[in-house]
């Protein structure tokens, strides 16, 4: 799945991933390869980029939106801070 994570200031991540876990406004959810098309609002919380089945990148994010379409996921957020 192609993933792009953007803030107004810069591109946080761009590349192929296994999946992503996101903090939705009504609870967290996960998007994997070949997910159905959707648009969802995001709340404040932890976003986990599943780079592959063994490696993850974790970010603390503020509000935003996610769009999934044709096996491409675009995450538009106000801010992202990488966590160790």
């Amino acid at each position: 799945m192609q993933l792009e994570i953007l803030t107004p200031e810069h591109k946080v991540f761009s590349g192929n991933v296994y999946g992503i876990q996101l903090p939705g406004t009504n609870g967290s959810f996960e998007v994997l390869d070949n997910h159905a098309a959707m648009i969802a609002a995001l709340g404040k919380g932890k976003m986990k980029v599943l780079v592959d089945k063994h490696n993850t990148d974790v970010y603390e994010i503020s509000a935003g939106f996610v769009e999934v379409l044709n096996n491409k996921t675009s995450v538009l957020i106000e801010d992202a801070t990488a966590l160790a």
Side-chain angles (χ1 to χ4, degrees):
M1 169 178 79
Q2 179 68 28
L3 174 64
E4 194 164 61
I5 303 171
L6 303 168
T7 71
E9 290 81 31
H10 68 286
K11 185 182 295 189
V12 176
F13 184 93
S14 182
N16 286 314
V17 297
Y18 176 74
I20 186 167
Q21 295 175 350
L22 297 159
T25 55
N26 292 322
S28 33
F29 62 96
E30 187 171 73
V31 176
L32 298 174
D33 204 27
N34 295 312
H35 195 284
M38 67 176 253
I39 295 176
L42 302 175
K44 184 176 180 173
K46 287 189 172 78
M47 171 179 68
K48 292 183 183 178
V49 177
L50 309 171
V51 179
D52 56 37
K53 291 185 179 185
H54 305 289
N55 298 304
T56 61
D57 293 339
V58 181
Y59 299 89
E60 182 73 30
I61 68 166
S62 54
F65 292 92
V66 60
E67 177 189 49
V68 180
L69 185 61
N70 297 327
N71 214 32
K72 180 178 179 185
T73 302
S74 300
V75 180
L76 308 172
I77 48 180
E78 292 177 19
D79 192 27
T81 305
L83 301 175

